[in-house]
mmCIF file of all heavy atoms in Angstrom:
data_model
loop_
_atom_site.group_PDB
_atom_site.id
_atom_site.type_symbol
_atom_site.label_atom_id
_atom_site.label_comp_id
_atom_site.label_asym_id
_atom_site.label_seq_id
_atom_site.Cartn_x
_atom_site.Cartn_y
_atom_site.Cartn_z
ATOM 1 N N SER A 1 65.187 -18.111 19.393
ATOM 2 C CA SER A 1 65.122 -18.629 18.022
ATOM 3 C C SER A 1 64.473 -17.599 17.110
ATOM 4 O O SER A 1 63.463 -16.993 17.474
ATOM 5 C CB SER A 1 64.305 -19.914 17.971
ATOM 6 O OG SER A 1 64.943 -20.934 18.687
ATOM 7 N N VAL A 2 65.067 -17.438 15.900
ATOM 8 C CA VAL A 2 64.525 -16.519 14.900
ATOM 9 C C VAL A 2 64.775 -17.108 13.525
ATOM 10 O O VAL A 2 65.929 -17.388 13.165
ATOM 11 C CB VAL A 2 65.186 -15.125 14.995
ATOM 12 C CG1 VAL A 2 64.783 -14.252 13.817
ATOM 13 C CG2 VAL A 2 64.846 -14.445 16.290
ATOM 14 N N ASN A 3 63.724 -17.316 12.756
ATOM 15 C CA ASN A 3 63.815 -17.746 11.352
ATOM 16 C C ASN A 3 64.828 -18.867 11.111
ATOM 17 O O ASN A 3 65.711 -18.745 10.270
ATOM 18 C CB ASN A 3 64.152 -16.553 10.449
ATOM 19 C CG ASN A 3 63.092 -15.479 10.492
ATOM 20 O OD1 ASN A 3 61.938 -15.763 10.776
ATOM 21 N ND2 ASN A 3 63.484 -14.250 10.243
ATOM 22 N N GLY A 4 64.730 -19.944 11.858
ATOM 23 C CA GLY A 4 65.600 -21.100 11.630
ATOM 24 C C GLY A 4 66.967 -21.009 12.274
ATOM 25 O O GLY A 4 67.816 -21.867 12.053
ATOM 26 N N ILE A 5 67.214 -19.985 13.058
ATOM 27 C CA ILE A 5 68.494 -19.859 13.765
ATOM 28 C C ILE A 5 68.220 -19.873 15.261
ATOM 29 O O ILE A 5 67.379 -19.123 15.763
ATOM 30 C CB ILE A 5 69.231 -18.562 13.383
ATOM 31 C CG1 ILE A 5 69.715 -18.642 11.949
ATOM 32 C CG2 ILE A 5 70.413 -18.328 14.324
ATOM 33 C CD1 ILE A 5 70.491 -17.431 11.495
ATOM 34 N N ASN A 6 68.924 -20.744 15.959
ATOM 35 C CA ASN A 6 68.865 -20.782 17.421
ATOM 36 C C ASN A 6 70.127 -20.113 17.939
ATOM 37 O O ASN A 6 71.240 -20.539 17.607
ATOM 38 C CB ASN A 6 68.794 -22.225 17.926
ATOM 39 C CG ASN A 6 67.559 -22.937 17.412
ATOM 40 O OD1 ASN A 6 66.490 -22.351 17.346
ATOM 41 N ND2 ASN A 6 67.714 -24.187 17.034
ATOM 42 N N ALA A 7 69.966 -19.064 18.727
ATOM 43 C CA ALA A 7 71.098 -18.302 19.261
ATOM 44 C C ALA A 7 71.082 -18.386 20.781
ATOM 45 O O ALA A 7 70.029 -18.263 21.406
ATOM 46 C CB ALA A 7 71.022 -16.851 18.812
ATOM 47 N N GLU A 8 72.268 -18.598 21.349
ATOM 48 C CA GLU A 8 72.411 -18.618 22.810
ATOM 49 C C GLU A 8 73.439 -17.560 23.195
ATOM 50 O O GLU A 8 74.566 -17.569 22.713
ATOM 51 C CB GLU A 8 72.880 -19.991 23.285
ATOM 52 C CG GLU A 8 73.085 -20.058 24.787
ATOM 53 C CD GLU A 8 73.619 -21.405 25.254
ATOM 54 O OE1 GLU A 8 73.889 -22.279 24.418
ATOM 55 O OE2 GLU A 8 73.786 -21.546 26.473
ATOM 56 N N LEU A 9 73.044 -16.629 24.058
ATOM 57 C CA LEU A 9 73.920 -15.549 24.536
ATOM 58 C C LEU A 9 74.399 -15.897 25.930
ATOM 59 O O LEU A 9 73.598 -16.182 26.818
ATOM 60 C CB LEU A 9 73.150 -14.229 24.566
ATOM 61 C CG LEU A 9 73.907 -13.024 25.140
ATOM 62 C CD1 LEU A 9 75.028 -12.594 24.203
ATOM 63 C CD2 LEU A 9 72.947 -11.873 25.386
ATOM 64 N N THR A 10 75.724 -15.883 26.112
ATOM 65 C CA THR A 10 76.328 -16.215 27.402
ATOM 66 C C THR A 10 77.352 -15.147 27.761
ATOM 67 O O THR A 10 78.100 -14.686 26.904
ATOM 68 C CB THR A 10 77.034 -17.584 27.334
ATOM 69 O OG1 THR A 10 76.155 -18.531 26.744
ATOM 70 C CG2 THR A 10 77.432 -18.065 28.697
ATOM 71 N N PHE A 11 77.380 -14.773 29.052
ATOM 72 C CA PHE A 11 78.357 -13.817 29.556
ATOM 73 C C PHE A 11 79.241 -14.489 30.597
ATOM 74 O O PHE A 11 78.751 -15.197 31.472
ATOM 75 C CB PHE A 11 77.669 -12.628 30.238
ATOM 76 C CG PHE A 11 76.980 -11.715 29.287
ATOM 77 C CD1 PHE A 11 75.616 -11.808 29.082
ATOM 78 C CD2 PHE A 11 77.693 -10.763 28.582
ATOM 79 C CE1 PHE A 11 74.973 -10.959 28.213
ATOM 80 C CE2 PHE A 11 77.057 -9.910 27.710
ATOM 81 C CZ PHE A 11 75.692 -10.013 27.520
ATOM 82 N N ASN A 12 80.538 -14.225 30.556
ATOM 83 C CA ASN A 12 81.487 -14.634 31.593
ATOM 84 C C ASN A 12 81.312 -16.104 31.985
ATOM 85 O O ASN A 12 80.537 -16.836 31.396
ATOM 86 C CB ASN A 12 81.383 -13.728 32.824
ATOM 87 C CG ASN A 12 81.579 -12.273 32.454
ATOM 88 O OD1 ASN A 12 82.470 -11.935 31.695
ATOM 89 N ND2 ASN A 12 80.733 -11.395 32.961
ATOM 90 N N LYS A 13 82.085 -16.540 32.963
ATOM 91 C CA LYS A 13 82.005 -17.920 33.454
ATOM 92 C C LYS A 13 80.700 -18.178 34.183
ATOM 93 O O LYS A 13 80.062 -19.203 34.009
ATOM 94 C CB LYS A 13 83.140 -18.182 34.438
ATOM 95 C CG LYS A 13 84.366 -18.773 33.859
ATOM 96 C CD LYS A 13 85.368 -18.822 34.977
ATOM 97 C CE LYS A 13 86.250 -19.992 34.936
ATOM 98 N NZ LYS A 13 87.310 -19.940 35.898
ATOM 99 N N ASP A 14 80.289 -17.249 35.010
ATOM 100 C CA ASP A 14 79.121 -17.441 35.867
ATOM 101 C C ASP A 14 77.847 -16.853 35.262
ATOM 102 O O ASP A 14 76.801 -16.871 35.886
ATOM 103 C CB ASP A 14 79.370 -16.826 37.239
ATOM 104 C CG ASP A 14 79.784 -15.361 37.153
ATOM 105 O OD1 ASP A 14 79.810 -14.788 36.039
ATOM 106 O OD2 ASP A 14 80.095 -14.783 38.208
ATOM 107 N N ASN A 15 77.929 -16.344 34.036
ATOM 108 C CA ASN A 15 76.816 -15.736 33.310
ATOM 109 C C ASN A 15 76.210 -14.548 34.048
ATOM 110 O O ASN A 15 75.048 -14.219 33.881
ATOM 111 C CB ASN A 15 75.728 -16.766 32.967
ATOM 112 C CG ASN A 15 75.007 -16.385 31.684
ATOM 113 O OD1 ASN A 15 75.567 -15.728 30.822
ATOM 114 N ND2 ASN A 15 73.767 -16.784 31.565
ATOM 115 N N LYS A 16 77.024 -13.886 34.890
ATOM 116 C CA LYS A 16 76.601 -12.656 35.545
ATOM 117 C C LYS A 16 77.185 -11.486 34.757
ATOM 118 O O LYS A 16 78.354 -11.476 34.425
ATOM 119 C CB LYS A 16 77.070 -12.623 36.989
ATOM 120 C CG LYS A 16 76.355 -13.674 37.811
ATOM 121 C CD LYS A 16 76.619 -13.527 39.274
ATOM 122 C CE LYS A 16 75.784 -14.547 39.996
ATOM 123 N NZ LYS A 16 76.279 -14.953 41.237
ATOM 124 N N VAL A 17 76.358 -10.503 34.487
ATOM 125 C CA VAL A 17 76.775 -9.354 33.693
ATOM 126 C C VAL A 17 77.044 -8.200 34.648
ATOM 127 O O VAL A 17 76.187 -7.815 35.430
ATOM 128 C CB VAL A 17 75.687 -8.966 32.675
ATOM 129 C CG1 VAL A 17 76.233 -7.955 31.686
ATOM 130 C CG2 VAL A 17 75.157 -10.187 31.950
ATOM 131 N N LYS A 18 78.272 -7.654 34.569
ATOM 132 C CA LYS A 18 78.682 -6.587 35.481
ATOM 133 C C LYS A 18 79.151 -5.380 34.685
ATOM 134 O O LYS A 18 79.503 -5.496 33.519
ATOM 135 C CB LYS A 18 79.829 -7.091 36.366
ATOM 136 C CG LYS A 18 79.426 -8.282 37.201
ATOM 137 C CD LYS A 18 80.593 -8.837 37.974
ATOM 138 C CE LYS A 18 80.126 -10.020 38.776
ATOM 139 N NZ LYS A 18 81.058 -11.070 38.868
ATOM 140 N N THR A 19 79.168 -4.230 35.356
ATOM 141 C CA THR A 19 79.723 -3.054 34.703
ATOM 142 C C THR A 19 81.196 -3.325 34.416
ATOM 143 O O THR A 19 81.854 -4.071 35.129
ATOM 144 C CB THR A 19 79.578 -1.800 35.584
ATOM 145 O OG1 THR A 19 80.154 -2.059 36.867
ATOM 146 C CG2 THR A 19 78.129 -1.402 35.744
ATOM 147 N N GLY A 20 81.700 -2.727 33.359
ATOM 148 C CA GLY A 20 83.082 -2.969 32.945
ATOM 149 C C GLY A 20 83.141 -4.056 31.878
ATOM 150 O O GLY A 20 82.145 -4.380 31.233
ATOM 151 N N ASP A 21 84.335 -4.629 31.695
ATOM 152 C CA ASP A 21 84.551 -5.640 30.656
ATOM 153 C C ASP A 21 83.879 -6.962 31.006
ATOM 154 O O ASP A 21 83.976 -7.440 32.133
ATOM 155 C CB ASP A 21 86.048 -5.893 30.447
ATOM 156 C CG ASP A 21 86.699 -4.814 29.605
ATOM 157 O OD1 ASP A 21 85.976 -4.158 28.830
ATOM 158 O OD2 ASP A 21 87.921 -4.635 29.704
ATOM 159 N N ASN A 22 83.216 -7.538 30.021
ATOM 160 C CA ASN A 22 82.575 -8.841 30.145
ATOM 161 C C ASN A 22 82.925 -9.666 28.920
ATOM 162 O O ASN A 22 82.905 -9.149 27.797
ATOM 163 C CB ASN A 22 81.046 -8.704 30.193
ATOM 164 C CG ASN A 22 80.543 -8.088 31.475
ATOM 165 O OD1 ASN A 22 80.245 -8.788 32.415
ATOM 166 N ND2 ASN A 22 80.457 -6.769 31.521
ATOM 167 N N ASP A 23 83.233 -10.952 29.127
ATOM 168 C CA ASP A 23 83.367 -11.870 28.008
ATOM 169 C C ASP A 23 81.959 -12.173 27.523
ATOM 170 O O ASP A 23 81.041 -12.363 28.325
ATOM 171 C CB ASP A 23 84.044 -13.169 28.443
ATOM 172 C CG ASP A 23 85.488 -12.951 28.869
ATOM 173 O OD1 ASP A 23 86.169 -12.112 28.244
ATOM 174 O OD2 ASP A 23 85.938 -13.619 29.812
ATOM 175 N N VAL A 24 81.776 -12.215 26.213
ATOM 176 C CA VAL A 24 80.463 -12.511 25.650
ATOM 177 C C VAL A 24 80.633 -13.577 24.570
ATOM 178 O O VAL A 24 81.629 -13.582 23.842
ATOM 179 C CB VAL A 24 79.777 -11.236 25.094
ATOM 180 C CG1 VAL A 24 80.567 -10.614 23.971
ATOM 181 C CG2 VAL A 24 78.354 -11.520 24.659
ATOM 182 N N MET A 25 79.668 -14.493 24.507
ATOM 183 C CA MET A 25 79.701 -15.547 23.494
ATOM 184 C C MET A 25 78.282 -15.766 22.980
ATOM 185 O O MET A 25 77.330 -15.828 23.748
ATOM 186 C CB MET A 25 80.242 -16.846 24.086
ATOM 187 C CG MET A 25 80.252 -17.998 23.098
ATOM 188 S SD MET A 25 81.028 -19.497 23.746
ATOM 189 C CE MET A 25 79.811 -20.045 24.932
ATOM 190 N N ILE A 26 78.171 -15.885 21.651
ATOM 191 C CA ILE A 26 76.912 -16.270 21.029
ATOM 192 C C ILE A 26 77.176 -17.573 20.293
ATOM 193 O O ILE A 26 78.117 -17.670 19.501
ATOM 194 C CB ILE A 26 76.389 -15.187 20.076
ATOM 195 C CG1 ILE A 26 75.985 -13.966 20.890
ATOM 196 C CG2 ILE A 26 75.237 -15.718 19.241
ATOM 197 C CD1 ILE A 26 75.308 -12.874 20.118
ATOM 198 N N THR A 27 76.366 -18.573 20.601
ATOM 199 C CA THR A 27 76.469 -19.874 19.940
ATOM 200 C C THR A 27 75.282 -19.988 18.990
ATOM 201 O O THR A 27 74.131 -19.756 19.389
ATOM 202 C CB THR A 27 76.434 -21.016 20.967
ATOM 203 O OG1 THR A 27 77.453 -20.777 21.946
ATOM 204 C CG2 THR A 27 76.687 -22.354 20.304
ATOM 205 N N LEU A 28 75.564 -20.349 17.728
ATOM 206 C CA LEU A 28 74.532 -20.417 16.704
ATOM 207 C C LEU A 28 74.346 -21.843 16.196
ATOM 208 O O LEU A 28 75.331 -22.540 15.913
ATOM 209 C CB LEU A 28 74.894 -19.515 15.524
ATOM 210 C CG LEU A 28 75.063 -18.027 15.815
ATOM 211 C CD1 LEU A 28 75.511 -17.295 14.554
ATOM 212 C CD2 LEU A 28 73.767 -17.440 16.340
ATOM 213 N N HIS A 29 73.088 -22.262 16.090
ATOM 214 C CA HIS A 29 72.712 -23.552 15.503
ATOM 215 C C HIS A 29 71.558 -23.317 14.538
ATOM 216 O O HIS A 29 70.752 -22.404 14.749
ATOM 217 C CB HIS A 29 72.251 -24.540 16.587
ATOM 218 C CG HIS A 29 73.344 -24.987 17.486
ATOM 219 N ND1 HIS A 29 73.684 -24.320 18.632
ATOM 220 C CD2 HIS A 29 74.187 -26.043 17.402
ATOM 221 C CE1 HIS A 29 74.687 -24.942 19.222
ATOM 222 N NE2 HIS A 29 75.009 -25.991 18.497
ATOM 223 N N ASP A 30 71.470 -24.162 13.520
ATOM 224 C CA ASP A 30 70.302 -24.080 12.646
ATOM 225 C C ASP A 30 69.163 -24.896 13.246
ATOM 226 O O ASP A 30 69.303 -25.463 14.330
ATOM 227 C CB ASP A 30 70.654 -24.508 11.217
ATOM 228 C CG ASP A 30 71.082 -25.963 11.107
ATOM 229 O OD1 ASP A 30 70.847 -26.749 12.059
ATOM 230 O OD2 ASP A 30 71.648 -26.329 10.060
ATOM 231 N N ASP A 31 68.048 -24.974 12.530
ATOM 232 C CA ASP A 31 66.886 -25.677 13.083
ATOM 233 C C ASP A 31 67.076 -27.190 13.160
ATOM 234 O O ASP A 31 66.276 -27.888 13.767
ATOM 235 C CB ASP A 31 65.613 -25.322 12.308
ATOM 236 C CG ASP A 31 65.761 -25.518 10.810
ATOM 237 O OD1 ASP A 31 66.830 -25.941 10.344
ATOM 238 O OD2 ASP A 31 64.788 -25.225 10.092
ATOM 239 N N LYS A 32 68.167 -27.718 12.560
ATOM 240 C CA LYS A 32 68.498 -29.144 12.671
ATOM 241 C C LYS A 32 69.589 -29.365 13.720
ATOM 242 O O LYS A 32 70.226 -30.410 13.734
ATOM 243 C CB LYS A 32 68.938 -29.682 11.313
ATOM 244 C CG LYS A 32 67.834 -29.638 10.275
ATOM 245 C CD LYS A 32 68.316 -30.109 8.930
ATOM 246 C CE LYS A 32 67.191 -30.058 7.940
ATOM 247 N NZ LYS A 32 67.261 -28.926 7.051
ATOM 248 N N ASP A 33 69.854 -28.349 14.547
ATOM 249 C CA ASP A 33 70.845 -28.372 15.626
ATOM 250 C C ASP A 33 72.291 -28.523 15.125
ATOM 251 O O ASP A 33 73.160 -29.028 15.821
ATOM 252 C CB ASP A 33 70.520 -29.464 16.657
ATOM 253 C CG ASP A 33 71.080 -29.122 18.030
ATOM 254 O OD1 ASP A 33 71.157 -27.916 18.352
ATOM 255 O OD2 ASP A 33 71.463 -30.043 18.766
ATOM 256 N N LYS A 34 72.548 -28.087 13.895
ATOM 257 C CA LYS A 34 73.904 -28.094 13.332
ATOM 258 C C LYS A 34 74.522 -26.717 13.564
ATOM 259 O O LYS A 34 73.865 -25.691 13.383
ATOM 260 C CB LYS A 34 73.847 -28.409 11.840
ATOM 261 C CG LYS A 34 75.213 -28.533 11.206
ATOM 262 C CD LYS A 34 75.093 -28.951 9.748
ATOM 263 C CE LYS A 34 76.467 -29.145 9.166
ATOM 264 N NZ LYS A 34 76.968 -27.979 8.475
ATOM 265 N N GLU A 35 75.811 -26.708 13.994
ATOM 266 C CA GLU A 35 76.490 -25.434 14.255
ATOM 267 C C GLU A 35 76.579 -24.589 12.989
ATOM 268 O O GLU A 35 76.824 -25.115 11.909
ATOM 269 C CB GLU A 35 77.921 -25.660 14.770
ATOM 270 C CG GLU A 35 77.996 -26.297 16.121
ATOM 271 C CD GLU A 35 78.146 -27.814 16.045
ATOM 272 O OE1 GLU A 35 78.303 -28.344 14.934
ATOM 273 O OE2 GLU A 35 78.092 -28.454 17.101
ATOM 274 N N ILE A 36 76.391 -23.289 13.156
ATOM 275 C CA ILE A 36 76.544 -22.345 12.052
ATOM 276 C C ILE A 36 77.900 -21.687 12.224
ATOM 277 O O ILE A 36 78.124 -20.920 13.159
ATOM 278 C CB ILE A 36 75.414 -21.289 12.062
ATOM 279 C CG1 ILE A 36 74.061 -21.973 11.904
ATOM 280 C CG2 ILE A 36 75.658 -20.245 10.972
ATOM 281 C CD1 ILE A 36 72.878 -21.046 12.046
ATOM 282 N N GLU A 37 78.814 -22.000 11.300
ATOM 283 C CA GLU A 37 80.195 -21.530 11.452
ATOM 284 C C GLU A 37 80.601 -20.468 10.438
ATOM 285 O O GLU A 37 81.711 -19.979 10.480
ATOM 286 C CB GLU A 37 81.149 -22.730 11.363
ATOM 287 C CG GLU A 37 80.925 -23.700 12.500
ATOM 288 C CD GLU A 37 81.988 -24.767 12.592
ATOM 289 O OE1 GLU A 37 83.043 -24.620 11.930
ATOM 290 O OE2 GLU A 37 81.780 -25.728 13.321
ATOM 291 N N ASN A 38 79.732 -20.106 9.523
ATOM 292 C CA ASN A 38 80.105 -19.141 8.484
ATOM 293 C C ASN A 38 79.343 -17.835 8.600
ATOM 294 O O ASN A 38 79.058 -17.191 7.610
ATOM 295 C CB ASN A 38 79.882 -19.767 7.102
ATOM 296 C CG ASN A 38 78.427 -20.191 6.914
ATOM 297 O OD1 ASN A 38 77.660 -20.265 7.868
ATOM 298 N ND2 ASN A 38 78.048 -20.460 5.675
ATOM 299 N N ALA A 39 79.017 -17.449 9.804
ATOM 300 C CA ALA A 39 78.226 -16.226 10.007
ATOM 301 C C ALA A 39 79.134 -15.041 10.351
ATOM 302 O O ALA A 39 80.260 -15.211 10.809
ATOM 303 C CB ALA A 39 77.216 -16.439 11.127
ATOM 304 N N ASP A 40 78.601 -13.870 10.114
ATOM 305 C CA ASP A 40 79.233 -12.633 10.560
ATOM 306 C C ASP A 40 78.341 -12.112 11.688
ATOM 307 O O ASP A 40 77.163 -11.816 11.458
ATOM 308 C CB ASP A 40 79.308 -11.633 9.409
ATOM 309 C CG ASP A 40 80.004 -10.345 9.782
ATOM 310 O OD1 ASP A 40 80.865 -10.374 10.689
ATOM 311 O OD2 ASP A 40 79.694 -9.299 9.180
#
């Protein structure tokens, strides 16, 4: 969490990070647990 933003970083299906290509996802919520959909 940073300044009212909760960020969750997830890699791949099993969340194991390996050399080479990895799927990455960041999920953003505000401090009221509402999704943030207009971010860059």
Side-chain angles (χ1 to χ4, degrees):
S1 295
V2 171
N3 298 334
I5 291 182
N6 299 320
E8 178 183 3
L9 176 69
T10 311
F11 289 99
N12 304 316
K13 266 175 145 172
D14 54 4
N15 210 28
K16 292 190 176 154
V17 191
K18 300 175 180 143
T19 54
D21 281 336
N22 290 269
D23 294 323
V24 62
M25 178 175 72
I26 292 187
T27 306
L28 300 176
H29 291 89
D30 64 15
D31 52 1
K32 296 177 180 102
D33 206 32
K34 184 176 183 265
E35 293 94 6
I36 299 174
E37 296 190 13
N38 59 346
D40 182 27

